[in-house]
Amino acid sequence: MPTTTRIYNFSAGPAVLPLPVLEEAQRHLVSLPGVGMSVMEISHRSKTFEDLLNTAIEDIRALADVPANYRILMLQGGATLQFSMVPMNLLTPGASADYIDTGSWADKAIKEAKKVGPVNIAATTKTDGYTRIPRQEELRLTPGAAYVHITTNNTIEGTEWKTLPEVGEAPLVADTSSDMFSGPIDVGRFGLIYAGAQKNLGPSGVTLVIIREDLLARSVDSLPVMLNYRVHAENNSLYNTPNTFGIYILGLTVKWLRSLGGLPAIARINQRKAAKLYAEIDRTGFYRGTAQKESRSLMNVTFRLPSEELEKLFVKESTAAGLDGLKGHRAVGGMRASIYNAFPEDGVDALVEFMREFERRHG
Amino acid sequence: MPTTTRIYNFSAGPAVLPLPVLEEAQRHLVSLPGVGMSVMEISHRSKTFEDLLNTAIEDIRALADVPANYRILMLQGGATLQFSMVPMNLLTPGASADYIDTGSWADKAIKEAKKVGPVNIAATTKTDGYTRIPRQEELRLTPGAAYVHITTNNTIEGTEWKTLPEVGEAPLVADTSSDMFSGPIDVGRFGLIYAGAQKNLGPSGVTLVIIREDLLARSVDSLPVMLNYRVHAENNSLYNTPNTFGIYILGLTVKWLRSLGGLPAIARINQRKAAKLYAEIDRTGFYRGTAQKESRSLMNVTFRLPSEELEKLFVKESTAAGLDGLKGHRAVGGMRASIYNAFPEDGVDALVEFMREFERRHG
């Protein structure tokens, strides 16, 4: 067997996957038991693959208690293609869409929506450097909006919505790429949820979309067929060849989440991991969290050090210590520890220990 | 180690992959040597991944002798998304596009193009049941066309272009999904080439696009950013997170092709494999090839039996004998043996032997 020496991977995405998932995929990579082919080689029209796909969908439905009037789709193109598909499908003629601007990714979603139709910025925390999520009373929602778009977790800025906004009749649409299935989610509150898989769900190249069935009626035939939610729903994500291997790994990852005890269980683990890091950040003032406390993300913990020189040194020494991927996004600077579902708690402990030792030497 | 019992996989796609590629991917699946993470877990912005991507691109350039003024992109969404991206990017205002209709997939490309702008069907062999490729003198090309689109190999109908059409000044655009890198390709004859990876190049979820640089100027800023060739070219396919694992496998597959001796070598193997099957089909008249002889595909060998009852029996018995995926597409009926690059020659020999024995018992 190959060496399985592994480091602690704090990468923002593609990100760490559960070790049992990787090990199962490795065992069966050349030949799926009872099939005689790699999962990469089987037809997407075969019973074997349809069973894999449908099992993944059923496991997602059970994991997140997805109501029966929602369809679960596995698409391609990442959240970025969803930035276009959402308005192309849901922004009905004559209406406008409300977007809440909480960071770099929300801003990209807005830019793409504006190419399709009228967009109203219902709230933005840009003047606060995106260090927080807007409060309910700050939202200026448009009556009759086609939908309201939010970004539930802001990967770059390290913030997250702690409670969903009240948006009235308009369907709530959410980019959940960086916190999907990191804790319980009330799917019934949303019209559409999308998530690139490569943070909490699986490898890159698969996009999970959960859409309320009545919204499929908004998809018109003149859309490019690959960008039409209704076509994908009618074909159970098999209109064309999907990313079969990515769906297989996503399915294993969802099974792993269920085996842990589901979303309440993973939420407890994620809260504990994040609490350890934020406690260390707040302990002396040497480290400084960049997000306002009430908006702190459980997935992406962002912090600065007293100087950029110390930050460079921190990146260098932590990498050498087997703590990889801690350099923050250039938009925020400093450090970012991405601690998604599959990130092991002992890696958080190792980082806390490293932070203490680093402060002892340089504080 | 896991069992590696494998069957002969004649599936039209996703299809068989080279065994050495699968074995290397298996060895390193949990931890890439020297990296300490699975290839699925590393950031697409990391040096490790950029090296993987750039090596794959360089290997493709070397393998197919791609001229320096062509860009090599790795996108998502399969050929079906290319059916839309091609006209959205290349069909300039006021112009029309010429399409040559040689089968089901060409027809799908035409349907999507018509949603974008004016389309002229420069030739069709529909009245011949798509059993052949049109001759040069049948083409009614439009002067000043934005481009001319062909499907180099017709997976369902079992036909292929033996020589490229002369199309004058217009850029030739080709869907090469089912015969890419099955033999030498004169890239300089094309404006744009695209191919879903899941037949000859790797797993599903990656789309190879090779585009002549001057055509990038046609991509306007108002396009959805994920559908803009220029954006992908400017960002070396890293505008957003690509299918990192799929690109890794595609890279290994291209290396495997180079190790065999490149495209002339694989062409000889493919010709030999197809010749064996067509010789058996033509031997007595019990089997009947569905494509006209001068248009026969080297990748997808389609044939009928004397009755539908015998065809059902053939599927049943061949599957039981470890020859999987031989049932033809419902549009053509009968049998289809897809024998892409990675399909082993001994599998062709096994099928020929099975065909002889089947005829002996039922002929």
Side-chain angles (χ1 to χ4, degrees), chain A residues 2 5-6 17 27 31 41 204 242, chain B residues 2 5 17 27 31 41 204 242:
Chain A
T5 308
R6 285 166 55 83
L17 288 166
R27 271 196 305 280
S31 181
E41 301 177 302
S204 62
Chain B
T5 307
L17 289 165
R27 272 196 305 279
S31 181
E41 300 176 301
S204 61

Side-chain angles (χ1 to χ4, degrees), chain B residues 273-331:
Chain B
K273 289 190 299 189
K276 285 180 176 180
L277 271 181
Y278 286 119
E280 180 59 25
I281 287 169
D282 294 337
R283 195 172 54 86
T284 68
F286 178 75
Y287 300 103
R288 178 173 55 82
T290 60
Q292 297 189 27
K293 285 190 181 177
E294 73 282 6
S295 295
R296 280 175 164 177
S297 166
L298 299 188
M299 296 287 102
N300 309 99
V301 177
T302 52
F303 58 97
R304 305 291 310 248
L305 272 74
S307 72
E308 289 194 12
E309 287 64 38
L310 281 173
E311 287 171 346
K312 277 182 192 149
L313 194 64
F314 189 98
V315 170
K316 191 180 163 195
E317 293 190 358
S318 59
T319 305
L323 306 168
D324 196 79
L326 283 166
K327 191 178 177 189
H329 192 278
R330 62 186 179 281

Side-chain angles (χ1 to χ4, degrees), chain A residues 70-267:
Chain A
Y70 284 75
R71 297 297 300 271
I72 297 168
L73 309 178
M74 311 271 190
L75 308 182
Q76 296 184 58
T80 304
L81 190 54
Q82 293 306 307
F83 295 165
S84 297
M85 282 180 70
V86 164
M88 289 170 84
N89 283 268
L90 300 187
L91 187 37
T92 42
S96 65
D98 281 354
Y99 276 71
I100 301 179
D101 175 27
T102 52
S104 308
W105 290 105
D107 185 56
K108 288 191 182 202
I110 291 164
K111 281 201 174 73
E112 292 307 309
K114 282 181 172 170
K115 293 177 183 173
V116 179
V119 168
N120 168 50
I121 308 301
T124 176
T125 52
K126 190 173 186 174
T127 53
D128 291 324
Y130 293 132
T131 55
R132 67 179 183 89
I133 299 298
R135 295 177 300 276
Q136 179 71 35
E137 64 270 22
E138 293 177 278
L139 309 186
R140 288 169 304 172
L141 299 166
T142 309
Y147 59 88
V148 180
H149 183 280
I150 64 169
T151 311
T152 51
N153 183 83
N154 298 282
T155 321
I156 292 174
E157 295 82 6
T159 63
E160 68 177 23
W161 289 79
K162 298 292 180 185
T163 55
L164 293 177
E166 297 290 341
V167 298
E169 290 299 303
L172 184 60
V173 173
D175 177 359
T176 64
S177 293
S178 52
D179 65 350
M180 191 67 178
F181 297 157
S182 64
I185 178 167
D186 185 355
V187 174
R189 292 280 306 274
F190 297 89
L192 188 152
I193 297 165
Y194 62 91
Q198 67 270 15
K199 296 168 194 291
N200 267 318
L201 306 177
S204 62
V206 187
T207 316
L208 176 65
V209 172
I210 303 179
I211 183 168
R212 213 175 62 208
E213 265 174 356
D214 63 290
L215 294 174
L216 295 171
R218 295 195 193 178
S219 300
V220 295
D221 289 337
S222 57
L223 287 171
V225 67
M226 274 297 286
L227 306 188
N228 186 316
Y229 290 128
R230 184 169 43 73
V231 169
H232 289 300
E234 286 169 356
N235 291 278
N236 193 29
S237 303
L238 294 172
Y239 175 78
N240 79 329
T241 317
N243 177 349
T244 52
F245 185 77
I247 290 170
Y248 162 71
I249 298 291
L250 187 148
L252 294 181
T253 305
V254 173
K255 270 201 196 308
W256 170 81
L257 277 173
R258 294 191 70 188
S259 76
L260 290 184
L263 299 182
I266 195 74

Side-chain angles (χ1 to χ4, degrees), chain B residues 237-255:
Chain B
S237 304
L238 294 172
Y239 175 78
N240 78 329
T241 317
N243 177 349
T244 52
F245 184 78
I247 290 171
Y248 162 71
I249 298 289
L250 187 147
L252 294 180
T253 305
V254 172
K255 271 203 195 308

Side-chain angles (χ1 to χ4, degrees), chain A residues 1-9 11 13-19 21-23 25-33 35-45 75-81 84 88 105 108 112 115 198 202-207 221-227 239-245 249 324, chain B residues 1-9 11 13-19 21-23 25-33 35-45 75-81 84 88 105 108 112 115 198 202-207 221-227 239-245 249 324:
Chain A
M1 284 299 286
T3 171
T4 53
T5 308
R6 285 166 55 83
I7 59 166
Y8 290 123
N9 174 12
S11 177
V16 61
L17 288 166
L19 187 56
V21 167
L22 292 172
E23 288 172 340
Q26 182 177 48
R27 271 196 305 280
H28 301 156
L29 198 76
V30 172
S31 181
L32 270 183
V35 175
M37 296 181 257
S38 170
V39 67
M40 283 185 269
E41 301 177 302
I42 59 177
S43 170
H44 59 300
R45 308 269 176 223
L75 308 182
Q76 296 184 58
T80 304
L81 190 54
S84 297
M88 289 170 84
W105 290 105
K108 288 191 182 202
E112 292 307 309
K115 293 177 183 173
Q198 67 270 15
S204 62
V206 187
T207 316
D221 289 337
S222 57
L223 287 171
V225 67
M226 274 297 286
L227 306 188
Y239 175 78
N240 79 329
T241 317
N243 177 349
T244 52
F245 185 77
I249 298 291
D324 196 78
Chain B
M1 283 297 287
T3 171
T4 54
T5 307
R6 283 167 55 84
I7 59 166
Y8 290 122
N9 174 11
S11 177
V16 61
L17 289 165
L19 188 56
V21 167
L22 292 172
E23 288 172 340
Q26 181 177 48
R27 272 196 305 279
H28 300 156
L29 197 75
V30 172
S31 181
L32 270 184
V35 175
M37 296 181 258
S38 171
V39 66
M40 282 185 269
E41 300 176 301
I42 59 177
S43 170
H44 59 300
R45 308 269 176 224
L75 308 182
Q76 296 184 58
T80 303
L81 190 55
S84 296
M88 288 170 84
W105 289 104
K108 287 191 183 202
E112 292 306 309
K115 294 177 182 174
Q198 67 270 15
S204 61
V206 187
T207 316
D221 290 336
S222 56
L223 287 171
V225 67
M226 274 296 286
L227 306 188
Y239 175 78
N240 78 329
T241 317
N243 177 349
T244 52
F245 184 78
I249 298 289
D324 196 79

